[in-house]
Short mmCIF file of all heavy atoms in Angstrom, two decimals:
data_model
loop_
_atom_site.label_atom_id
_atom_site.label_comp_id
_atom_site.label_asym_id
_atom_site.label_seq_id
_atom_site.Cartn_x
_atom_site.Cartn_y
_atom_site.Cartn_z
N VAL F 21 6.52 0.91 -222.31
CA VAL F 21 6.47 0.23 -221.02
C VAL F 21 6.92 -1.20 -221.25
O VAL F 21 6.26 -1.96 -221.93
CB VAL F 21 5.04 0.26 -220.42
CG1 VAL F 21 5.01 -0.50 -219.10
CG2 VAL F 21 4.61 1.70 -220.21
N GLY F 22 8.04 -1.57 -220.71
CA GLY F 22 8.57 -2.91 -220.91
C GLY F 22 8.74 -3.61 -219.59
O GLY F 22 8.10 -3.29 -218.61
N LEU F 23 9.64 -4.56 -219.56
CA LEU F 23 9.90 -5.33 -218.38
C LEU F 23 11.31 -5.03 -217.95
O LEU F 23 12.23 -5.04 -218.76
CB LEU F 23 9.71 -6.81 -218.69
CG LEU F 23 9.78 -7.75 -217.50
CD1 LEU F 23 8.64 -8.74 -217.61
CD2 LEU F 23 11.09 -8.47 -217.50
N ILE F 24 11.50 -4.69 -216.68
CA ILE F 24 12.78 -4.21 -216.19
C ILE F 24 13.39 -5.26 -215.28
O ILE F 24 12.75 -5.76 -214.38
CB ILE F 24 12.62 -2.89 -215.43
CG1 ILE F 24 12.01 -1.85 -216.37
CG2 ILE F 24 13.93 -2.40 -214.86
CD1 ILE F 24 11.65 -0.57 -215.70
N VAL F 41 9.24 -12.56 -218.97
CA VAL F 41 8.34 -12.25 -220.08
C VAL F 41 7.16 -11.50 -219.51
O VAL F 41 6.69 -11.78 -218.41
CB VAL F 41 7.88 -13.53 -220.81
CG1 VAL F 41 7.16 -14.46 -219.88
CG2 VAL F 41 7.00 -13.19 -222.00
N GLY F 42 6.70 -10.48 -220.21
CA GLY F 42 5.56 -9.70 -219.77
C GLY F 42 4.28 -10.22 -220.40
O GLY F 42 4.26 -10.61 -221.57
N LEU F 43 3.21 -10.23 -219.63
CA LEU F 43 1.92 -10.67 -220.13
C LEU F 43 0.99 -9.47 -220.27
O LEU F 43 1.01 -8.56 -219.44
CB LEU F 43 1.29 -11.67 -219.17
CG LEU F 43 2.11 -12.92 -218.86
CD1 LEU F 43 1.35 -13.81 -217.89
CD2 LEU F 43 2.44 -13.67 -220.12
N THR F 44 0.20 -9.46 -221.30
CA THR F 44 -0.72 -8.35 -221.53
C THR F 44 -2.12 -8.67 -221.03
O THR F 44 -3.07 -8.04 -221.43
CB THR F 44 -0.77 -8.02 -223.03
OG1 THR F 44 -1.20 -9.18 -223.75
CG2 THR F 44 0.59 -7.61 -223.54
N ASP F 45 -2.23 -9.66 -220.19
CA ASP F 45 -3.52 -10.10 -219.71
C ASP F 45 -3.47 -10.21 -218.19
O ASP F 45 -2.42 -10.45 -217.62
CB ASP F 45 -3.87 -11.46 -220.33
CG ASP F 45 -5.25 -11.92 -219.94
OD1 ASP F 45 -6.22 -11.44 -220.54
OD2 ASP F 45 -5.33 -12.75 -219.03
N ALA F 46 -4.60 -10.03 -217.53
CA ALA F 46 -4.62 -10.04 -216.08
C ALA F 46 -4.75 -11.44 -215.49
O ALA F 46 -4.97 -11.58 -214.30
CB ALA F 46 -5.76 -9.17 -215.57
N SER F 47 -4.65 -12.49 -216.31
CA SER F 47 -4.68 -13.83 -215.75
C SER F 47 -3.37 -14.11 -215.03
O SER F 47 -2.36 -13.45 -215.26
CB SER F 47 -4.90 -14.87 -216.86
OG SER F 47 -3.82 -14.89 -217.75
N PHE F 48 -3.39 -15.12 -214.16
CA PHE F 48 -2.23 -15.42 -213.34
C PHE F 48 -1.46 -16.57 -213.98
O PHE F 48 -1.97 -17.68 -214.07
CB PHE F 48 -2.66 -15.83 -211.94
CG PHE F 48 -3.28 -14.74 -211.13
CD1 PHE F 48 -4.27 -13.92 -211.65
CD2 PHE F 48 -2.85 -14.52 -209.83
CE1 PHE F 48 -4.85 -12.93 -210.90
CE2 PHE F 48 -3.42 -13.52 -209.07
CZ PHE F 48 -4.42 -12.72 -209.60
N PRO F 49 -0.23 -16.38 -214.41
CA PRO F 49 0.49 -17.47 -215.08
C PRO F 49 0.93 -18.54 -214.09
O PRO F 49 1.10 -18.30 -212.90
CB PRO F 49 1.71 -16.76 -215.67
CG PRO F 49 1.92 -15.58 -214.77
CD PRO F 49 0.56 -15.15 -214.33
N LEU F 334 1.75 2.24 -202.71
CA LEU F 334 0.76 2.82 -203.60
C LEU F 334 -0.57 2.10 -203.41
O LEU F 334 -0.62 0.89 -203.28
CB LEU F 334 1.22 2.67 -205.05
CG LEU F 334 2.53 3.37 -205.41
CD1 LEU F 334 2.91 3.01 -206.84
CD2 LEU F 334 2.39 4.87 -205.28
N ALA F 336 -3.86 1.39 -205.39
CA ALA F 336 -4.49 1.47 -206.71
C ALA F 336 -5.18 0.15 -206.96
O ALA F 336 -4.83 -0.88 -206.39
CB ALA F 336 -3.44 1.74 -207.78
N CYS F 337 -6.16 0.17 -207.83
CA CYS F 337 -6.92 -1.04 -208.15
C CYS F 337 -7.51 -1.67 -206.89
O CYS F 337 -7.72 -2.89 -206.83
CB CYS F 337 -6.05 -2.05 -208.89
SG CYS F 337 -5.41 -1.43 -210.45
N PHE F 341 -0.12 -2.10 -201.45
CA PHE F 341 0.99 -2.96 -201.77
C PHE F 341 2.08 -2.87 -200.70
O PHE F 341 2.20 -1.89 -199.99
CB PHE F 341 1.57 -2.58 -203.14
CG PHE F 341 0.59 -2.78 -204.25
CD1 PHE F 341 -0.25 -1.77 -204.63
CD2 PHE F 341 0.48 -4.01 -204.87
CE1 PHE F 341 -1.17 -1.95 -205.64
CE2 PHE F 341 -0.43 -4.20 -205.88
CZ PHE F 341 -1.26 -3.18 -206.26
N VAL F 371 6.64 -3.51 -205.34
CA VAL F 371 5.22 -3.54 -205.03
C VAL F 371 4.77 -4.98 -205.10
O VAL F 371 5.39 -5.82 -205.72
CB VAL F 371 4.39 -2.70 -206.03
CG1 VAL F 371 4.75 -1.24 -205.91
CG2 VAL F 371 4.60 -3.18 -207.46
N ASP F 373 1.03 -7.70 -204.53
CA ASP F 373 -0.31 -7.98 -204.05
C ASP F 373 -0.49 -9.48 -204.04
O ASP F 373 0.49 -10.22 -204.11
CB ASP F 373 -1.37 -7.25 -204.90
CG ASP F 373 -1.45 -7.78 -206.31
OD1 ASP F 373 -0.70 -8.72 -206.65
OD2 ASP F 373 -2.26 -7.28 -207.08
N ALA F 375 -1.20 -11.45 -206.17
CA ALA F 375 -0.76 -12.13 -207.39
C ALA F 375 0.68 -12.58 -207.31
O ALA F 375 1.12 -13.41 -208.07
CB ALA F 375 -0.93 -11.21 -208.59
N SER F 395 4.63 -12.10 -210.86
CA SER F 395 4.52 -10.83 -210.16
C SER F 395 3.72 -9.86 -211.01
O SER F 395 3.78 -9.90 -212.24
CB SER F 395 5.92 -10.24 -209.91
OG SER F 395 5.83 -8.91 -209.46
N PRO F 396 2.95 -8.96 -210.36
CA PRO F 396 2.25 -7.94 -211.14
C PRO F 396 3.17 -6.85 -211.62
O PRO F 396 2.77 -5.99 -212.37
CB PRO F 396 1.23 -7.39 -210.15
CG PRO F 396 1.87 -7.60 -208.82
CD PRO F 396 2.64 -8.88 -208.94
N GLY F 397 4.46 -6.88 -211.22
CA GLY F 397 5.39 -5.85 -211.65
C GLY F 397 5.03 -4.51 -211.04
O GLY F 397 5.24 -4.27 -209.86
N THR F 398 4.47 -3.62 -211.80
CA THR F 398 4.02 -2.33 -211.30
C THR F 398 2.50 -2.33 -211.17
O THR F 398 1.83 -3.12 -211.80
CB THR F 398 4.46 -1.20 -212.24
OG1 THR F 398 3.99 -1.48 -213.55
CG2 THR F 398 5.97 -1.08 -212.27
N THR F 399 1.98 -1.46 -210.37
CA THR F 399 0.56 -1.45 -210.07
C THR F 399 -0.28 -1.36 -211.34
O THR F 399 -0.08 -0.48 -212.17
CB THR F 399 0.22 -0.26 -209.15
OG1 THR F 399 1.14 -0.26 -208.07
CG2 THR F 399 -1.20 -0.38 -208.64
N CYS F 400 -1.23 -2.26 -211.49
CA CYS F 400 -2.18 -2.29 -212.61
C CYS F 400 -1.51 -2.58 -213.95
O CYS F 400 -2.16 -2.49 -214.99
CB CYS F 400 -2.97 -0.99 -212.71
SG CYS F 400 -3.89 -0.61 -211.22
N ALA F 401 -0.22 -2.89 -213.95
CA ALA F 401 0.47 -3.19 -215.21
C ALA F 401 0.28 -4.68 -215.54
O ALA F 401 -0.23 -5.44 -214.71
CB ALA F 401 1.95 -2.86 -215.09
N PRO F 402 0.66 -5.11 -216.74
CA PRO F 402 0.55 -6.53 -217.07
C PRO F 402 1.31 -7.40 -216.07
O PRO F 402 2.33 -7.00 -215.52
CB PRO F 402 1.18 -6.61 -218.47
CG PRO F 402 1.00 -5.25 -219.04
CD PRO F 402 1.16 -4.31 -217.88
N PHE F 403 0.81 -8.61 -215.85
CA PHE F 403 1.50 -9.53 -214.96
C PHE F 403 2.77 -10.04 -215.64
O PHE F 403 2.84 -10.15 -216.86
CB PHE F 403 0.59 -10.70 -214.61
CG PHE F 403 -0.46 -10.34 -213.61
CD1 PHE F 403 -1.63 -9.72 -214.02
CD2 PHE F 403 -0.28 -10.60 -212.27
CE1 PHE F 403 -2.61 -9.38 -213.10
CE2 PHE F 403 -1.24 -10.26 -211.34
CZ PHE F 403 -2.41 -9.64 -211.76
N LEU F 404 3.76 -10.36 -214.83
CA LEU F 404 5.05 -10.80 -215.32
C LEU F 404 5.34 -12.20 -214.82
O LEU F 404 4.92 -12.58 -213.73
CB LEU F 404 6.17 -9.87 -214.84
CG LEU F 404 5.91 -8.36 -214.97
CD1 LEU F 404 7.06 -7.60 -214.34
CD2 LEU F 404 5.73 -7.97 -216.43
N ILE F 405 6.07 -12.98 -215.60
CA ILE F 405 6.61 -14.23 -215.11
C ILE F 405 8.11 -14.19 -215.29
O ILE F 405 8.61 -13.75 -216.32
CB ILE F 405 6.02 -15.46 -215.83
CG1 ILE F 405 5.67 -15.13 -217.28
CG2 ILE F 405 4.83 -15.99 -215.12
CD1 ILE F 405 5.08 -16.30 -218.02
N PRO F 428 9.29 0.42 -207.25
CA PRO F 428 8.35 0.59 -208.36
C PRO F 428 8.58 1.88 -209.15
O PRO F 428 9.18 2.83 -208.66
CB PRO F 428 7.00 0.61 -207.66
CG PRO F 428 7.30 1.08 -206.28
CD PRO F 428 8.64 0.52 -205.94
N LEU F 429 8.05 1.86 -210.37
CA LEU F 429 8.09 3.06 -211.20
C LEU F 429 7.22 4.16 -210.59
O LEU F 429 6.17 3.91 -210.02
CB LEU F 429 7.57 2.74 -212.60
CG LEU F 429 8.49 1.92 -213.51
CD1 LEU F 429 7.74 1.51 -214.75
CD2 LEU F 429 9.73 2.70 -213.87
N PRO F 431 5.81 8.09 -211.99
CA PRO F 431 4.45 7.77 -211.55
C PRO F 431 4.01 6.42 -212.13
O PRO F 431 4.68 5.84 -212.98
CB PRO F 431 3.62 8.91 -212.13
CG PRO F 431 4.35 9.27 -213.40
CD PRO F 431 5.81 9.11 -213.06
N ASN F 432 2.87 5.98 -211.69
CA ASN F 432 2.33 4.73 -212.15
C ASN F 432 0.81 4.86 -212.28
O ASN F 432 0.16 5.24 -211.31
CB ASN F 432 2.67 3.63 -211.15
CG ASN F 432 2.25 2.27 -211.67
OD1 ASN F 432 2.14 2.06 -212.86
ND2 ASN F 432 1.99 1.36 -210.76
N PRO F 433 0.21 4.63 -213.45
CA PRO F 433 0.85 4.11 -214.66
C PRO F 433 1.69 5.15 -215.39
O PRO F 433 1.56 6.34 -215.15
CB PRO F 433 -0.35 3.68 -215.51
CG PRO F 433 -1.45 4.59 -215.08
CD PRO F 433 -1.25 4.80 -213.61
N VAL F 434 2.54 4.67 -216.29
CA VAL F 434 3.41 5.52 -217.08
C VAL F 434 2.74 5.85 -218.41
O VAL F 434 2.20 4.95 -219.06
CB VAL F 434 4.76 4.83 -217.33
CG1 VAL F 434 5.65 5.69 -218.21
CG2 VAL F 434 5.45 4.54 -216.02
#
Side-chain angles (χ1 to χ4, degrees):
V21 178
L23 188 135
I24 301 173
V41 60
L43 303 180
T44 58
D45 184 80
S47 65
F48 292 48
L334 299 174
C337 299
F341 297 91
V371 295
D373 67 0
S395 170
T398 55
T399 311
C400 302
F403 285 82
L404 314 175
I405 32 180
L429 287 171
N432 186 25
V434 177

